[in-house]
Amino acid sequence: GLRLDVPIFDDTGFTNADADALTFRDEAGRPVQYATGKLPDPNILWSPRLGFNWDLTGDRMTQVRGGTGVFTGRPAYVWISNQIGNTGVLTGFEQLTNTTARPFNADPDYYKPSTVTGAPASSYELALTDENFKFPQVWRSNIAVDRRLFGGWTGTAEYLYNRDVNGVYYINANLAPPDSAFSGPDARPRWVATNRINSNVANAIVLKNQDVGTSWNLAFSAERALTAGFWMKTAYSYGESKNTVDPGSIAAGSWTNNQHAGDPNNPGIGYALGSPGHRWYLAASYTRRYFRWGATTVSGFWESRNGERPVNTGSGSYVFSGDLNNDGSTSNDLIYIPRDASEMNFQTFVASGRTFTSAEQAAAFETFISGDEYLSKHRGQYVQRNAVFLPLEHRLDFNIAQDLLLNFAGREHRFQFRVDALNFTNLLNSNWGVGNRFVSTSPLIVPTAAQGGVVDAQGRAQYRLRVVNNELITQSIERTAGTNDVYRVQFSIRYMF
């Protein structure tokens, strides 16, 4: 097959002539200029694909199937709408570090200009689109084997691989090159004098394409056909997904919240936020007619997987709280994992009347690292984005349904009485069926300038250990305590006619 998609935009952008004349810097350090009002040109997104299904032995016992091709998703037009609203023509802002120039006033019209000319604001942020940008496409291939087994069972093995054709990533074209670097084991670059090329532009986030993202998934399953009222299916899968950024709906946030350990415009490959990890499940159902007037059905669903319920947020990144390297973002600096206490550089501080010494923090952080499976295995390295996976969660849901059949007025009426025990595991044992979460993904705090700054006299990065409930953090993961961690029993009645 062959599919063609052509996103087309009208000439609805707003031009900021002042910004168009500015020179920025791309991810390779080259000078570059952008047209603020220029939306992407129509580009044909070609999507060829080929699939096959082969009866290997001719007796329908073994089936081999698969395919390969390019697939285009529905365009996320919000990415382009960021450019419409962020050219410095429709909106602008002032970034102030004190209230002397603009003290608070309850009147929302107090600082409104007396005249509005339509000229660009004095300071603004930009959302731009690379002139060669195309909406995302992936090259997807899969191969699978289905095999009839003994006793009514069918087994399946399948491998799926994806690679970005037009992946998405962002750069801040107004980010100046770093003018310094930390000394010591954590020698990442930093910005001291300024992190802006053009002082009146807060940032210039450019939407671009990259083709380095990949994902794969390997799955095995076995299913027993319904026989004598009994049905069962079980499956196991493991997958990984990697990219340079998990793009959101806001351009600036997609860049500032993208964790890295060096150059934010070249963050490198990391795990995607939705990387699947491990998953195993077992589903079974048995129906039998114990009474003449209806059947009884007992069924259950067991699942073990990485992830924090109810959404799949089973991985995370350990970052500094604060802007360690002064690149303008306060939540994107991945931590360095020290080999031992000699590579730690904690700053003594006082909190709630209690003094936490450097040695006390080093001992607590050593406990934190030793108790974390990922950190303890990657000493001397930077944390990789979204590479810290939560432990597997195990849960069983169980239900019983009783049907009641009645003939009345020449018609059959069916009633069903059902009991569902969600997280039945927790009903059996209060320690079962409970999830996990990160105590904090930002265990290290960046000191402010008033607190002594981010570097010591030797130019090494210094920091403080997070305090939780007036105690230094020593545990990375804790059990959750929400509605999904306890059992729930639901009773229901259905009438079908």
Side-chain angles (χ1 to χ4, degrees):
L2 178 63
R3 176 189 172 105
L4 307 178
D5 293 89
V6 188
I8 299 174
F9 297 92
D10 289 335
D11 186 17
T12 53
F14 296 90
T15 298
N16 181 338
D18 294 346
D20 289 357
L22 298 176
T23 299
F24 297 97
R25 179 176 178 267
D26 69 9
E27 66 273 27
R30 298 180 295 253
V32 63
Q33 292 182 303
Y34 294 97
T36 52
K38 180 70 170 61
L39 302 184
D41 290 324
N43 290 308
I44 298 178
L45 302 175
W46 298 88
S47 299
R49 70 281 305 266
L50 171 69
F52 70 93
N53 194 320
W54 178 26
D55 181 2
L56 184 62
T57 56
D59 56 2
R60 299 188 178 182
M61 293 293 292
T62 303
Q63 173 184 255
V64 180
R65 54 184 171 84
T68 187
V70 176
F71 293 83
T72 304
R74 183 177 180 180
Y77 294 114
V78 66
W79 292 337
I80 307 302
S81 71
N82 277 277
Q83 179 175 346
I84 300 293
N86 292 277
T87 63
V89 176
L90 292 181
T91 59
F93 62 87
E94 292 179 316
Q95 183 171 334
L96 306 172
T97 57
N98 60 67
T99 59
T100 302
R102 294 287 189 269
F104 174 75
N105 192 293
D107 181 4
D109 295 327
Y110 187 79
Y111 293 114
K112 183 181 294 185
S114 57
T115 59
V116 178
T117 64
S122 58
S123 61
Y124 43 81
E125 68 176 2
L126 298 173
L128 305 164
T129 305
D130 184 80
E131 61 179 357
N132 297 315
F133 176 78
K134 293 183 178 181
F135 280 104
Q137 293 178 293
V138 295
W139 172 34
R140 174 171 295 168
S141 302
N142 82 299
I143 184 71
V145 177
D146 303 310
R147 171 71 180 176
R148 290 183 184 270
L149 306 173
F150 55 88
W153 286 86
T154 300
T156 296
E158 183 165 9
Y159 178 74
L160 177 69
Y161 178 81
N162 296 306
R163 185 175 185 89
D164 284 343
V165 176
N166 304 317
V168 169
Y169 82 113
Y170 291 91
I171 67 166
N172 179 4
N174 199 47
L175 181 68
D179 53 5
S180 183
F182 293 103
S183 62
D186 184 355
R188 75 184 75 203
R190 60 188 293 252
W191 287 257
V192 178
T194 182
N195 54 29
R196 299 186 187 184
I197 296 174
N198 302 285
S199 60
N200 67 313
V201 180
N203 50 55
I205 309 301
V206 185
L207 177 64
K208 308 190 75 172
N209 287 127
Q210 208 169 43
D211 60 358
V212 296
T214 61
S215 65
W216 63 270
N217 194 80
L218 180 63
F220 303 92
S221 67
E223 182 174 359
R224 184 183 187 276
L226 182 64
T227 305
F230 180 71
W231 170 86
M232 178 182 288
K233 182 174 183 179
T234 184
Y236 167 79
S237 66
Y238 178 79
E240 292 184 357
S241 179
K242 295 186 176 182
N243 57 19
T244 54
V245 63
D246 291 304
S249 60
I250 300 175
S254 296
W255 183 81
T256 58
N257 293 317
N258 192 39
Q259 295 91 1
H260 66 92
D263 180 0
N265 281 345
N266 291 279
I269 287 288
Y271 283 89
L273 187 59
S275 191
H278 298 276
R279 182 175 186 247
W280 174 69
Y281 73 85
L282 173 65
S285 177
Y286 178 66
T287 301
R288 183 170 179 178
R289 190 160 187 159
Y290 289 99
F291 310 102
R292 291 185 302 173
W293 35 264
T296 303
T297 300
V298 179
S299 59
F301 181 81
W302 170 277
E303 183 183 30
S304 297
R305 67 173 172 90
N306 291 115
E308 181 182 349
R309 300 176 190 277
V311 295
N312 183 24
T313 54
S315 64
S317 312
Y318 290 124
V319 297
F320 285 92
S321 176
D323 191 357
L324 180 74
N325 60 358
N326 196 35
D327 64 354
S329 302
T330 58
S331 60
N332 67 342
D333 298 316
L334 293 168
I335 69 171
Y336 170 79
I337 311 169
R339 291 181 174 87
D340 50 42
S342 68
E343 291 190 344
M344 301 179 190
N345 193 26
F346 286 102
Q347 180 192 71
T348 298
F349 68 98
V350 178
S352 301
R354 179 178 172 182
T355 299
F356 296 97
T357 67
S358 174
E360 288 175 323
Q361 295 175 72
F365 194 43
E366 177 63 31
T367 302
F368 184 93
I369 294 173
S370 299
D372 186 280
E373 183 179 0
Y374 177 87
L375 296 178
S376 61
K377 293 180 179 179
H378 294 82
R379 288 180 177 269
Q381 304 174 22
Y382 290 103
V383 172
Q384 191 176 8
R385 176 170 57 91
N386 290 326
V388 186
F389 284 82
L390 291 171
L392 286 172
E393 296 182 14
H394 313 283
R395 174 170 164 170
L396 170 65
D397 295 334
F398 179 77
N399 71 72
I400 300 176
Q402 177 64 56
D403 291 337
L404 176 62
L405 303 177
L406 298 175
N407 289 309
F408 180 72
R411 297 180 60 184
E412 182 181 84
H413 300 263
R414 181 182 175 190
F415 295 88
Q416 185 180 83
F417 302 89
R418 182 176 175 127
V419 180
D420 291 275
L422 305 178
N423 198 358
F424 185 69
T425 350
N426 187 254
L427 178 61
L428 300 176
N429 188 313
S430 61
N431 293 318
W432 297 350
V434 181
N436 301 277
R437 67 183 176 191
F438 295 102
V439 177
S440 174
T441 54
S442 53
L444 302 180
I445 311 297
V446 176
T448 64
Q451 295 170 336
V454 299
V455 294
D456 62 10
Q458 290 76 42
R460 298 176 301 169
Q462 63 179 0
Y463 32 79
R464 301 176 175 187
L465 190 62
R466 179 173 294 279
V467 174
V468 178
N469 296 326
N470 207 33
E471 295 290 340
L472 293 171
I473 188 171
T474 58
Q475 183 179 348
S476 61
I477 295 172
E478 64 183 359
R479 298 172 64 181
T480 51
T483 55
N484 286 285
D485 301 301
V486 295
Y487 70 87
R488 289 170 288 168
V489 180
Q490 175 179 286
F491 300 89
S492 59
I493 299 176
R494 298 175 65 191
Y495 169 52
M496 290 157 280
F497 58 92

